[in-house]
Amino acid sequence: DFPLRYEHQMFFGIVPLFFTATACFLLPRLEDKKISSIFVISLLIIFCATLSVKSFSLWYILHHLPLFSAIRVVSRIDQVLLFPVAVLASVTICHLSKAGKNMKIAIALIAIPLLYLDMFASKMYKTPKQQIRERDAAIEVIAPSNLQENSIIFVAQRGENIVADELDAMWLALRRNVRTMNGYSGNTPVGVRLEFASRCDEIDNRYNAYAHLMGLDPRSPTISELKARVLLIGFPPCP
């Protein structure tokens, strides 16, 4: 297992997977046998290429190749698989529904209970609205009321939940219509820490990372102008 699975992966659902598996068994009898075969083979190739067995996967070799390297998070490969799964499931339903009224009833009797099972078995990560409102109110207390249009805010983390802290800062920037140095991503620039609390040295880390990314000298006028626009929120007095 890996952290934040709910953020990275999308479960197709029991019903689409059931009808996709049925398509594999009915493949010789399907009307669109050639197209369906292409999608089945595509599913098998992608599945085998991304399967991890005892920490080994063919993806470690493939992800260095052109096009493959563009897929940054392999756990999102299911978004690529979604199209063949949808096609095969629909082809199966169309094929079975031609068998007559009784088959249509049978499809409904299978699909509807599975849909309800899927819905009740899924556990989604949820945050109460009141908790979000309280966090928003707390950050508004420490934020200046009059931010200039070209301001860039950088909000210190409160240490409870760094992801929530970064989201709070991004929401604040959206509400005030300004830019922010907060945020999180898998493509974090070199030298930037995701956990920094209210450490003053992280401020320079951000400036230096931006200068490196843009090919600038950290002492250049551009970086100096950038520093003049940054407003620190929640940090202690920093030199």
Side-chain angles (χ1 to χ4, degrees), residues 174-214:
L174 282 171
R175 290 195 300 271
R176 300 295 187 86
N177 195 29
V178 295
R179 292 176 174 83
T180 178
M181 291 170 64
N182 292 91
Y184 60 93
S185 171
N187 281 338
T188 305
V190 177
V192 170
R193 287 190 294 257
L194 294 179
E195 290 189 57
F196 54 87
S198 58
R199 295 175 57 173
C200 291
D201 60 343
E202 181 59 23
I203 301 166
D204 286 330
N205 286 345
R206 303 275 167 139
Y207 294 145
N208 294 333
Y210 179 75
H212 177 74
L213 184 67
M214 303 303 294

Side-chain angles (χ1 to χ4, degrees), residues 18-32:
F18 172 78
F19 285 115
T20 299
T22 305
C24 297
F25 288 106
L26 296 178
L27 191 59
R29 287 179 281 176
L30 295 177
E31 291 81 357
D32 302 317

Side-chain angles (χ1 to χ4, degrees), residues 53-107:
V53 180
K54 294 183 178 180
S55 299
F56 173 79
S57 175
L58 291 174
W59 188 259
Y60 295 133
I61 301 172
L62 294 174
H63 86 281
H64 292 293
L65 300 177
L67 297 180
F68 291 98
S69 61
I71 304 177
R72 182 172 59 85
V73 183
V74 67
S75 57
R76 292 178 186 156
I77 198 72
D78 45 19
Q79 296 180 35
V80 179
L81 293 171
L82 181 61
F83 183 68
V85 166
V87 170
L88 289 172
S90 60
V91 166
T92 303
I93 293 173
C94 289
H95 174 78
L96 294 176
S97 62
K98 292 178 181 178
K101 183 179 180 181
N102 290 337
M103 182 57 71
K104 290 180 181 179
I105 295 173
I107 293 172

Side-chain angles (χ1 to χ4, degrees), residues 23 109 123 184 201 229:
L109 290 175
K123 294 182 180 180
Y184 60 93
D201 60 343
R229 294 169 55 193

Side-chain angles (χ1 to χ4, degrees), residues 117-132:
L117 175 64
D118 207 354
M119 181 176 63
F120 288 117
S122 298
K123 294 182 180 180
M124 302 299 294
Y125 183 85
K126 295 177 288 186
T127 303
K129 289 182 180 179
Q130 184 59 34
Q131 182 179 332
I132 296 173

